[in-house]
Structures are given as C-alpha cells and as structure tokens.
C-alpha cells in the first residue's frame, strides 16, 4: 500500500444566508494515497468545488464557514492551522488547478512572474536559478519555446496553453496532493486528451496524489482509480472505477450513467434525470434524491439511508442496499 497522504473526516461547510443555512458540504469523508487519483462526480451544485475549496481553506467568506470535520494532510489537521501556516502549506504541500485559467491568471503579470512567485515564496530561489527552474517547469508541461513564454501574458496564449501554465504553477513546488477542479472543461477534445496524458505522466514520475473533479465520465474512466459520487453535499457512492461502471449501486449513479450518450445505440430521445436537485437551503428530511428516484420507497422520504458496504471498497447510501 502506498503512503496515505490525505484523509478527510466528516467535513462540513455551511453557508449562512438570509434565507437560512445552506449545507453545501454535509459530512464528506474520503482518503487519498500517493500516486492515486480519486474522481469526484455529480451535477452542478452537488458540493464538489466547495469540498475542494474547503480542503485548502479558501471558501468564500464571510458567508461560508467550515463548521466541522478534519482534513488530515500527512497526519496534520489543516483546519487547525493558522492563516499564515496555511499560506506556507498551499502550493508547497497541496495545490489546486481551477476550472477557468483566465480567472486564475493575473492579466497584467507575465507568465514568468506568475510561475516564479510560488517558487520564490516556498523555496527561496532567486536570480538565474529561479528563472531556469521556471523554464524547466514550463518545458515539463510541454509548453513550446518556454524561454519566450516567460515574457508572454495570458491573453497571448491559447486556452490549452493557459491551462498548462496553471498546471505549471500548481506543480512548481512539487506538492504531495493536487486538486484539479474540472481543469479540462474549457478545452477541446484533442487538447483535453493531451492535458490528461500529461497529468498522468507527471503523476507516474512524482507519485503525485490527484483529486479530480469532473462532470465527464469519459475523463473519469481515463484518469481515476476510485470515484466518489456526490449529491446534495454528501457522497452517496464510493467505488473503484471499474466497479462503478459495471455495477453502480445508487440510483443516482445509475441515472448519471444512463445520461451518457452511447454511439452504438439509436434512440429518438436522450435519457435525462427527471426533476431538479433540491434547493440547498430546503433539503428534504430523508434521502435528497427521493423526489427523482424511480425506486423510491416511503422510508426514503423520511430517513436518510446509512452507508452500506456493497463489496470490498464499494459503499453506497441507499435503502435498497441496506
């Protein structure tokens, strides 16, 4: 077994609004080992991105607050760290790639300034050695003519190149854990495949642990070792990627799978999940998927189901499995 790098226990992040308390993340638990990729999937609003931001303590304040749980990075609880301690940890031990590179990169700073910032802060490099290190990282991310790109600005690069620059910044200090929040959403299919292959190569070289958030089950199949399915702020199913695709145990996972078009099938209308996710400030007392579930029972509407072990490493929260 590889080293356990990240362990999340009963993480809870709530938004305190005028309309009430929104439980964006409501008791999420998972672990991540060196060299492993854990995928997190689910509809928009299921809590995936807020879970990621909670791990690095960057939730939008003052509305959002982490109200409970533990985030153990190599045994140290990040939720107990001071803000100055977290600034030293972010980038050096745990890094994050956000969905849109244009919102991550500063438009008035050169690529070189932005890549070297974290290296200077965490590793204290200066001068020629700093410049060479930054160029080497850009080259590692397959950015052509990295010496010239150091003086370029974000608007002068394509979407794929900007995403690689964001990746270069994230791995510049060789973190143990990388959080990738839908990093391929803005990329076309060809560039997406190149970017995913690049991440796999870097992971194989360094033993990097990746938490990969996505909507795309094709990306999940290519990238992930295990998958967590989120709905209404909770993980409703967790399994190895092969088990999840062959024997989904939760009705929501099954519905997500059916929503993926199959090229070999001729259909008049593509499948879609009926209804809408529940309002986050008005969650039902039982299973939040009950109003949309084709297998719903009376008990589903009044009691939240316990987590049940379906097989080794495969769990689901559903009364049909209890």
């Amino acid at each position: 077994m590889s080293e356990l790098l990240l362990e999340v226990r009963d993480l809870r992040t709530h938004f305190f609004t005028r309309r009430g308390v929104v439980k964006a993340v409501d008791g999420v638990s998972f672990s991540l080992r060196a060299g492993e990729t854990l995928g997190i999937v689910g509809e928009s609003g299921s809590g995936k991105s807020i879970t990621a931001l909670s791990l690095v303590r960057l939730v939008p304040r003052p509305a959002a607050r982490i109200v409970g749980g533990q985030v153990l990075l190599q045994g140290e609880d990040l939720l107990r760290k001071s803000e100055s301690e977290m600034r030293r940890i972010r980038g050096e031990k745990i890094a994050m790639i956000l969905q849109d590179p244009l919102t991550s990169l500063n438009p008035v700073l050169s690529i070189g300034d932005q890549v070297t910032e974290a290296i200077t802060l965490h590793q204290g490099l200066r001068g020629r050695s700093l410049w060479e290190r930054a160029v080497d990282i850009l080259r590692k991310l397959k950015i052509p003519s990295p010496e010239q790109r150091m003086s370029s600005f974000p608007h002068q690069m394509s979407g794929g190149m900007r995403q690689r620059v964001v990746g270069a910044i994230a791995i510049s200090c060789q973190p143990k854990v990388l959080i990738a929040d839908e990093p391929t959403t803005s990329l076309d299919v060809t560039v997406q495949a190149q970017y995913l292959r690049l991440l796999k190569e870097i992971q194989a070289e360094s033993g990097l642990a990746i938490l990969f958030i996505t909507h795309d089950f094709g990306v999940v199949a290519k990238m992930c070792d295990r998958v967590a399915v989120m709905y209404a702020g909770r993980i409703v199913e967790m399994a190895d990627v092969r088990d999840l695709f062959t024997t989904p145990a939760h009705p929501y996972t099954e519905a997500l799978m059916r929503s993926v078009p199959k090229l070999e099938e001729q259909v008049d209308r593509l499948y879609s999940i009926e209804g809408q996710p529940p309002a986050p400030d008005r969650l039902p007392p039982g299973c939040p998927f009950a109003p949309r579930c084709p297998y719903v029972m009376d008990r589903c509407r009044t009691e939240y189901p316990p987590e049940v072990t379906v097989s080794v490493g495969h769990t689901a929260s559903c009364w049909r499995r209890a």
Side-chain angles (χ1 to χ4, degrees):
M1 295 290 286
S2 55
E3 178 191 1
L4 180 62
L5 294 178
L6 181 68
E7 188 174 7
V8 179
R9 300 175 181 171
D10 198 30
L11 179 64
R12 299 175 186 272
T13 302
H14 296 174
F15 283 74
F16 294 85
T17 71
R18 293 176 181 176
R19 296 174 60 183
V21 178
V22 175
K23 298 179 179 180
V25 180
D26 192 20
V28 166
S29 300
F30 60 84
S31 61
L32 191 58
R33 293 184 176 274
E36 181 186 30
T37 301
L38 172 66
I40 299 183
V41 298
E43 291 171 286
S44 295
S46 60
K48 305 184 302 297
S49 293
I50 295 299
T51 297
L53 292 172
S54 298
L55 301 184
V56 290
R57 300 255 306 271
L58 290 177
V59 295
R61 297 176 181 175
R65 296 179 218 158
I66 302 172
V67 298
Q70 292 180 300
V71 178
L72 302 175
L73 180 62
Q74 293 183 298
E76 297 184 44
D77 190 357
L78 300 186
L79 302 187
R80 294 184 176 274
K81 299 291 184 182
S82 66
E83 189 54 43
S84 61
E85 289 174 319
M86 282 304 301
R87 281 196 293 269
R88 289 194 293 270
I89 291 170
R90 294 187 201 109
E92 184 176 19
K93 293 184 178 181
I94 184 169
M96 188 170 181
I97 300 174
L98 296 174
Q99 181 174 349
D100 184 1
L102 273 180
T103 61
S104 305
L105 297 171
N106 191 322
V108 300
L109 294 179
S110 70
I111 298 303
D113 287 339
Q114 298 186 65
V115 175
T116 56
E117 182 182 12
I119 304 171
T120 302
L121 177 65
H122 294 298
Q123 299 182 344
L125 293 183
R126 298 286 191 280
R128 185 70 185 177
S129 59
L130 173 62
W131 191 86
E132 290 177 350
R133 175 68 184 279
V135 168
D136 184 58
I137 292 167
L138 293 181
R139 186 178 291 114
K140 190 173 185 179
L141 269 291
K142 304 289 195 299
I143 295 175
S145 306
E147 295 85 356
Q148 286 72 41
R149 289 298 186 183
M150 287 284 285
S151 57
S152 297
F153 289 86
H155 71 275
Q156 297 173 309
M157 307 180 79
S158 67
M161 286 297 108
R162 286 195 291 262
Q163 193 62 275
R164 293 185 186 206
V165 169
V166 171
I169 295 170
I171 69 163
S172 61
C173 296
Q174 300 173 315
K176 298 289 187 181
V177 177
L178 176 66
I179 302 169
D181 187 0
E182 300 188 46
T184 60
T185 300
S186 59
L187 306 180
D188 62 55
V189 176
T190 305
V191 176
Q192 180 186 95
Q194 294 173 350
Y195 191 77
L196 294 177
R197 186 163 57 249
L198 190 59
L199 281 180
K200 293 293 283 185
E201 290 172 3
I202 293 169
Q203 184 180 45
E205 291 174 7
S206 62
L208 183 68
I210 301 177
L211 184 67
F212 203 100
I213 298 171
T214 182
H215 288 101
D216 192 332
F217 274 97
V219 172
V220 169
K222 290 177 185 176
M223 285 294 296
C224 301
D225 302 300
R226 292 186 298 128
V227 189
V229 181
M230 285 195 72
Y231 189 78
R234 301 191 189 195
I235 292 176
V236 296
E237 184 167 1
M238 174 92 72
D240 290 341
V241 66
R242 185 183 296 274
D243 289 345
L244 194 85
F245 276 89
T246 56
T247 55
H250 196 281
Y252 179 58
T253 309
E254 185 180 313
L256 289 176
M257 296 290 189
R258 290 187 62 193
S259 300
V260 179
K262 296 178 176 60
L263 296 179
E264 68 275 9
E265 292 183 2
Q266 295 291 330
V267 294
D268 295 326
R269 186 181 181 88
L270 295 175
Y271 175 83
S272 63
I273 307 174
E274 293 185 2
Q276 295 291 328
D281 59 333
R282 295 190 300 275
L283 293 177
C287 175
F289 189 62
R292 309 170 73 188
C293 181
Y295 312 109
V296 65
M297 302 178 289
D298 291 340
R299 192 175 192 181
C300 302
R301 303 182 192 279
T302 57
E303 299 177 63
Y304 191 86
E307 185 178 86
V308 178
T309 300
V310 179
S311 61
V312 177
H314 190 170
T315 60
S317 297
C318 180
W319 283 116
R320 292 173 67 219
R321 303 285 174 175

